[in-house]
Amino acid sequence: MVKPVVAFGDPVLKAEAVEIEKNHLGLDSLIDDMWETMYDAEGVGLAAPQVGESIRLFVVDGSPFSEGEDGDEGCDNFKRVMINPVIFESSTDESVMEEGCLSIPGIREVVSRPNEIKIEYFDHNWDLVEEHLKGIAARIVQHEYDHLDGIMITDHIPAVKRRLLHGKLRDIGLGKVPVDYRMRLPKGKIR
Ligand code: NI
């Protein structure tokens, strides 16, 4: 089932999400719903807080980047469910790229992130997986991982620039920004 995507301004997006247990109620259907919601909104990643669940879980599918950009090796077959992920190593070299976020429609911001990360997580079968990610895959994962700590792309830009966005961000929360997927607005309205 496609769920409404929580829009900027909802406290669930600023909260630190909690780890879950293997027997977490409704986990399988939540993961199914997150895939459906992500594909419906044409996103490459979706974190549980974005559908209103403050738990440490996200899904990513980098296939829209499968060609690879700027010499990147691309994202072929980079489709993952990550449960209780922990990034335990990040490269010191970073690069910048413009990012968007399904919870902040119409806004794109240049974000600097480490080029490579090492991450440990449980997959959909609760097998513990360790991966070394680079390029776009590392970027997508870091963006979603941020959501679990209440961090959004607007937190990565200088305060001065963020202030300039104030009106636009308010309009998103008021549902004044056109989107072609369902959203849950801070006042609880679904549009
Ligand atoms: Ni996002």
Side-chain angles (χ1 to χ4, degrees):
M1 185 182 68
V2 173
K3 291 185 169 247
V5 175
V6 174
F8 185 92
D10 190 305
V12 74
L13 295 175
K14 298 306 295 174
E16 190 177 339
V18 297
E19 291 198 334
I20 54 171
E21 305 281 340
K22 198 170 179 175
N23 58 0
H24 187 85
L25 196 66
L27 182 62
D28 286 341
S29 61
L30 174 64
I31 291 170
D32 287 346
D33 289 349
M34 285 174 64
W35 283 127
E36 276 192 60
T37 304
M38 185 190 84
Y39 290 127
D40 175 69
E42 295 180 5
V44 293
L46 187 73
Q50 293 182 279
V51 290
E53 299 283 339
S54 196
I55 58 175
R56 303 190 79 82
L57 156 71
F58 58 77
V59 297
V60 291
D61 184 349
S63 41
F65 293 103
S66 62
E67 299 297 305
E69 287 184 348
D70 302 329
D72 187 78
E73 56 226 66
C75 269
D76 283 327
N77 303 316
F78 186 67
K79 180 176 172 176
R80 305 281 190 276
V81 175
M82 296 195 181
I83 302 168
N84 299 342
V86 175
I87 293 176
F88 61 92
E89 213 178 302
S90 302
S91 64
T92 47
D93 55 308
E94 300 201 349
S95 54
V96 293
M97 190 177 154
E98 207 174 62
E99 296 182 15
C101 179
L102 295 178
S103 293
I104 322 179
I107 289 182
R108 298 188 64 79
E109 291 298 335
V110 171
V111 179
S112 180
R113 298 192 188 272
N115 292 324
E116 299 181 33
I117 56 165
K118 286 183 181 169
I119 189 165
E120 192 177 69
Y121 61 90
F122 291 95
D123 68 11
H124 201 163
N125 302 315
W126 284 91
D127 289 322
L128 188 62
V129 179
E130 190 182 307
E131 273 192 289
H132 180 180
L133 301 174
K134 305 174 190 182
I136 303 281
R139 178 167 292 271
I140 298 169
V141 164
Q142 288 176 88
H143 176 116
E144 300 312 325
Y145 188 88
D146 267 356
H147 276 298
L148 308 184
D149 291 324
I151 299 167
M152 305 187 73
I153 52 175
T154 44
D155 296 307
H156 282 276
I157 62 176
V160 179
K161 216 174 159 211
R162 199 177 320 133
R163 235 168 285 139
L164 295 176
L165 284 178
H166 179 80
K168 274 192 187 175
L169 293 171
R170 189 196 51 211
D171 285 351
I172 291 169
L174 291 172
K176 288 184 179 172
V177 175
V179 275
D180 44 21
Y181 47 92
R182 289 167 72 219
M183 293 204 89
R184 188 180 100 187
L185 304 176
K187 294 246 158 68
K189 276 184 285 180
I190 307 282
R191 55 160 291 176

